Amino acid sequence: MHSLVPTMDDIGFEELMNDPYPSFDRIRKEASAVWVSSARINLVTRFDDIMHIERNHADFASTNPGSLMNKIMGHSLMRKDDEEHQVERKAVETAFRPGVVKQYWAPRLEAISDRLIAGFEKDGETDLFNAFAAPMAAYGLTELLGFKSDVAWQDMCDWSQSLMDAVGNYTADPAIEARGHAAAASIATEIDRAMPEHRATENPSVLSSMAHAESLHSIDQIRANVNVIVGGGLNEPRDSILTTVMALLSNPDQLAQVRENRKLFAKAFEEAVRWVAPIGMYPRRVTRDVVLGDTQLKEGDQIGLCVGAANRDPSRFENAHAFDINRPRQGHLGFGAGPHFCAGTWVARQMVGEIAVPMLFDRLKNLRLHDSKPVTERGWVFRGPTSLPVQWDV
Ligand code: HEM
């Protein structure tokens, strides 16, 4: 029995921002796609439905000419399909191949992590959001892109946030839109500053990879794809560092296992990305009238794939709301799926699971949650801790 998309009016936006998981459970039980009034989009929350969508790009396209993302960032690979997508994707992938990540990026990311920890390790307490996770992600991204090393990490964070705010600016607030355009202009300036060096000498950075791509990239293509990487390659490593640390500190038995067997740090990172997906939702456009599970969708419908909800689908994951590094190895949707599967997966695994998180636990003796300052978390489209106060022995 296929019905038109049902509506849910009683899920408040603040509820989604504070803790989306009870609402995700309700939506998942209701239907394959549900119009959630406060989110202003049809949400898809079941694991199998999202897998079906990601395998059927003819019916569920990433291309979306009217999207806010195109307006603010330019027409990037994220809003393209098929051949057009593949040629640009190849240039990004070249910079993040597993071998390049291990040999070239790992030592550089290690140096950043080491320098940041050295800056506060004698203090005995800090908030890991601004002291570590945000600058780690921002400096890391500066290197990966091939920007000049004098770019301030706070500027990278500001540009990233301004772009993401402008892409989610559904109420068309002119101030938010203006900040998005200003961020894109600053990023264009950084590309212009760095590009001559990359054109002259080939190296593993994203800019070099684009400059020397098999299929010639126009400056507009380069700008749009760099905007996407600044917008989407910063908050996810930041948030996944914080979520992994928070989860381990809140589960001392699992932390003890990880300390005993360092290989489990990688597993802890992967489980953290399943448990609290840093990108909780991303959009697709329905290209023709089509049935999804128990729901009839119409051509032109916008749907939001809630991977944050699918990653807690009880039909896929036992005891899905628990953080559990010992759960059986099973693919999740935290990095997406299909042709747009995260291009930065390998470098994120290295940066967070192999370098940043293990180094924190190695260097900060008896690392623990702060005894009087609370952890705060927020978001559903993007989710993670907004502060992580910790203490350690000095
Ligand atoms: C824990 C860290 C990360 C998570 C959870 C994550 C998650 C995702 C997800 C869910 C998508 C699919 C979005 C969609 O289909 O609309 C995606 C795409 C993408 N990610 Fe990541 N990401 C992470 C880190 C990174 C990093 C560090 C970079 C680059 C430096 C990066 C670059 C990209 C790019 C370029 C795409 C677009 C791929 C395409 O359209 O073909 N990501 N990411």
Side-chain angles (χ1 to χ4, degrees), residues 72-130:
I72 303 294
M73 296 194 184
H75 194 188
S76 77
L77 81 166
M78 273 183 100
R79 291 288 169 271
K80 293 180 180 176
D81 287 302
D82 306 319
E83 178 69 19
E84 224 193 345
H85 166 250
Q86 278 158 27
V87 292
E88 293 181 26
R89 164 95 191 189
K90 210 169 156 196
V92 180
E93 267 175 1
T94 306
F96 299 142
R97 282 196 304 256
V100 177
V101 169
K102 273 262 178 253
Q103 278 155 33
Y104 190 84
W105 295 122
R108 286 163 173 78
L109 296 168
E110 254 168 49
I112 297 169
S113 181
D114 176 59
R115 180 162 48 87
L116 288 169
I117 295 174
F120 61 77
E121 68 183 329
K122 299 212 164 30
D123 298 350
E125 66 172 274
T126 195
D127 184 334
L128 287 176
F129 187 100
N130 272 325

Side-chain angles (χ1 to χ4, degrees), residues 78 85 89 96 141 236 240 279 282 284 334-336 340 342 348:
M78 273 183 100
H85 166 250
R89 164 95 191 189
F96 299 142
L141 197 57
E236 298 87 350
S240 60
I279 299 185
Y282 55 82
R284 293 287 182 258
F335 291 107
H340 291 271
C342 174

